[in-house]
Amino acid sequence: MEIRCGYRIEVVCHQPTPAILLLDPHPSRDVDIVSGPNGAVTSLADSGDVPCVEYADGFGNRCRRLVVPPGGAAFTNDMIVRDSGVADAADYDAQEVFPGELPSEVLEYMLSSRYCEVDELSATAWQLFGKYPPGWNRVQQICNYVNAQIRFDYQCARNTRTAAQAMNERVGVCRDFTHLAVALCRCMNIPARYCNGFLGDIGVPRDPAPMDYNAWFEAYLGGKWFTFDARHNMPRIGRVLVARGRDAVDVPMVHTFGPHILQKFEVITEEVPAT
């Protein structure tokens, strides 16, 4: 199957403002891109092209550096990505890996990070999930708990909310579901990393308020990374990964080194009808 992914994001700045963009598919999806791998950046003042330099960050994500000109810039893309059409892989027999045997590059996904307070939540996590046999089912039980604990409400989004705050406030958006699930997994000595990307309503009833851009996470079990989604809490078709990191602080869609105003944010993710 083919999936159309696109966006138009406009930011307004009053002075030259350096920025980093993480907006386009992860390099691991390069072989699947049919058209439009890298988006355009144009000045809102004169519609001219804004120069960008691409690089890979420490997590292997595709990033672009630029300087937003005075007046602001528009970030746009309209791409076609080929997808298997298969739902998220599952291995219900996958076991946890003893921390002493984990690969060194996985260890950072066991630690506290900006939005995931492992130390603060550890005792609670063991009380809640210590009774479950280690492995796939324990991660699923964490997803079940987070899905029931947090009420999704986009109007209550707050970019400073941490995992512990999400647990206590019981409201949030997909990044809050993901932060809490990631933190609880790490508390149980299960490496977990934050992911974001395009995810439309493909193979499921259409959401009356589609988001099209979502956060989920990957847990390390049986020597492999597996996808989990505490927000939707079911295998989904058509995830197009953009970035991975310790939490949302590592993978902002747009990061500016100076003040900006978000003027427009439009994202689309939809299956291309077969011809």
Side-chain angles (χ1 to χ4, degrees):
M1 65 183 295
E2 292 185 342
I3 300 173
R4 179 190 175 203
C5 303
Y7 56 82
R8 183 177 180 87
I9 300 170
E10 297 179 1
V11 299
V12 175
C13 302
H14 299 297
Q15 60 188 18
T17 305
I20 298 174
L21 309 180
L22 287 87
L23 291 172
D24 300 312
H26 190 269
S28 61
R29 295 302 301 262
D30 281 353
V31 296
D32 301 319
I33 297 175
V34 177
S35 64
N38 293 314
V41 179
T42 55
S43 168
L44 291 177
D46 59 15
S47 299
D49 291 338
V50 176
C52 297
V53 176
E54 184 176 307
Y55 72 97
D57 67 11
F59 301 98
N61 301 315
R62 173 179 283 117
C63 307
R64 284 183 287 158
R65 294 181 61 183
L66 68 148
V67 176
V68 179
F75 315 129
T76 59
N77 203 345
D78 193 343
M79 56 196 140
I80 301 296
V81 181
R82 189 177 295 110
D83 192 80
S84 67
V86 177
D88 303 324
D91 181 355
Y92 302 113
D93 296 321
Q95 295 299 304
E96 295 174 22
V97 179
F98 178 64
E101 298 174 356
L102 286 168
S104 298
E105 63 272 15
V106 171
L107 293 177
E108 66 181 318
Y109 300 110
M110 295 268 283
L111 308 176
S112 290
S113 55
R114 165 66 179 86
Y115 291 107
C116 301
E117 311 99 321
V118 175
D119 49 352
E120 184 174 341
L121 293 171
S122 184
T124 299
W126 279 98
Q127 290 173 3
L128 290 170
F129 308 109
K131 61 185 177 183
Y132 295 107
W136 181 280
N137 182 59
R138 179 178 274 169
V139 179
Q140 185 57 59
Q141 293 298 331
I142 289 172
C143 289
N144 294 346
Y145 171 83
V146 173
N147 183 267
Q149 181 76 6
I150 300 178
R151 173 177 58 85
F152 183 89
D153 189 340
Y154 188 72
Q155 300 303 316
C156 293
R158 188 175 79 244
N159 63 6
T160 59
R161 182 183 288 120
T162 67
Q165 290 169 344
M167 175 183 274
N168 293 330
E169 296 173 19
R170 305 194 64 170
V171 68
V173 293
C174 57
R175 62 178 269 158
D176 301 305
F177 285 78
T178 302
H179 282 149
L180 181 53
V182 164
L184 294 173
C185 283
R186 293 177 186 173
C187 289
M188 305 304 296
N189 294 325
I190 303 169
R193 60 190 185 187
Y194 184 97
C195 304
N196 64 18
F198 299 93
L199 178 63
D201 296 325
I202 298 173
V204 296
R206 185 161 183 81
D207 191 321
M211 296 300 296
D212 291 310
Y213 199 89
N214 281 260
W216 59 88
F217 73 101
E218 294 173 344
Y220 192 81
L221 297 168
K224 296 173 58 178
W225 289 103
F226 289 95
T227 296
F228 289 88
D229 187 336
R231 157 74 172 99
H232 297 101
N233 205 26
M234 64 180 293
R236 293 290 296 268
I237 296 170
R239 294 184 198 274
V240 179
L241 176 70
V242 169
R244 298 185 179 104
R246 293 165 299 183
D247 59 30
V249 77
D250 292 326
V251 293
M253 298 177 73
V254 179
H255 180 89
T256 60
F257 298 90
H260 75 269
I261 298 171
L262 180 63
Q263 179 170 274
K264 178 175 288 189
F265 183 89
E266 297 176 350
V267 178
I268 183 172
T269 311
E270 60 186 18
E271 182 180 358
V272 177
T275 56

